[in-house]
């Protein structure tokens, strides 16, 4: 579903001429924590590769998606600390600030890898940073909206 929404809706948006939010990163955010890591990285590759096929971006999405899938445990350890090591750890049991930080780090690392590979010139480092911050902020806002829309919070 995220692939279809990304390809059919968000790849066609051009806020201010260059901002196309990337919401498919929510898959990596929502994926169960204690599942097989090899399968997770493989599925992340397929997700990025499908986005690449429909977007004609030459495996840039796949590389950026694999990078954050591989770094996800390290990012989680950084954000959630010792709590991440327990078997009963669930993302829903953490604070909103921790969830926001985790999602923001995933998005910013993904976008930094993506735009560095897309532009592939450190002479244009300001353009890489500008795109990373602008598109990252738009992606973060939309991912938070999607997250609140599809949350399983019981009241």
């Amino acid at each position: 579903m995220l692939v279809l929404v990304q390809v059919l809706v968000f790849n066609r948006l051009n806020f201010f001429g260059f901002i196309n939010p990337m919401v498919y990163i929510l898959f990596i955010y929502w994926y169960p924590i204690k599942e097989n890591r090899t399968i997770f990285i493989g599925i992340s590759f397929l997700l990025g590769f499908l986005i690449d096929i429909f977007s004609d971006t030459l495996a840039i999405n796949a590389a950026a998606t694999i990078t954050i899938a591989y770094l996800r445990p390290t990012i989680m350890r950084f954000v959630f600390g010792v709590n991440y090591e327990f078997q009963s750890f669930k993302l829903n049991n953490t604070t909103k600030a921790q969830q926001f930080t985790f999602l923001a780090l995933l998005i910013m690392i993904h976008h930094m890898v993506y735009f560095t590979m897309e532009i592939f010139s450190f002479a244009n480092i300001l353009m890489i940073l500008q795109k990373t911050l602008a598109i990252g902020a738009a992606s973060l806002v939309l991912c938070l909206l999607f997250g609140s829309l599809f949350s399983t919070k019981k009241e």
Side-chain angles (χ1 to χ4, degrees):
M1 186 69 167
L2 285 172
V3 172
L4 290 175
V5 170
Q6 180 66 47
V7 171
L8 296 176
V9 177
F10 292 110
N11 280 358
R12 306 225 186 274
L13 295 177
N14 275 326
F15 297 124
F16 302 111
F18 73 99
I19 297 178
N20 296 326
M22 298 180 191
V23 296
Y24 68 92
I25 298 170
L26 279 173
F27 170 78
I28 293 169
Y29 177 75
W30 282 333
Y31 193 82
I33 294 163
K34 298 298 180 187
E35 295 293 321
N36 187 342
R37 189 166 181 218
T38 306
I39 293 171
F40 171 58
I41 291 175
I43 293 171
S44 298
F45 168 77
L46 288 175
L47 173 71
F49 190 66
L50 281 173
I51 299 290
D52 285 324
I53 288 172
F54 292 118
S55 303
D56 196 28
T57 52
L58 299 172
I60 296 173
N61 283 299
T65 305
I66 285 176
T67 301
I68 61 171
Y70 180 77
L71 293 175
R72 182 178 179 218
T74 307
I75 297 168
M76 291 182 88
R77 222 173 272 110
F78 173 74
V79 173
F80 303 117
V82 177
N83 294 335
Y84 169 68
E85 302 296 329
F86 295 119
Q87 291 291 350
S88 62
F89 178 79
K90 292 189 182 199
L91 197 59
N92 293 337
N93 296 339
T94 60
T95 65
K96 294 291 181 190
Q98 287 176 323
Q99 292 175 11
F100 176 82
T101 304
F102 177 54
L103 182 60
L105 283 173
L106 283 177
I107 289 172
M108 289 304 160
I109 291 170
H110 175 276
H111 287 19
M112 184 61 78
V113 171
Y114 180 87
F115 293 117
T116 300
M117 292 180 71
E118 181 185 53
I119 297 170
F120 207 69
S121 169
F122 286 112
N124 295 324
I125 192 75
L126 291 177
M127 184 188 311
I128 293 171
L129 292 174
Q130 176 192 15
K131 283 186 159 198
T132 298
L133 293 175
I135 297 173
S139 298
L140 183 61
V141 167
L142 285 172
C143 285
L144 289 171
L145 288 173
F146 270 110
S148 65
L149 182 65
F150 296 112
S151 70
T152 57
K153 189 179 284 187
K154 295 175 183 129
E155 296 189 33

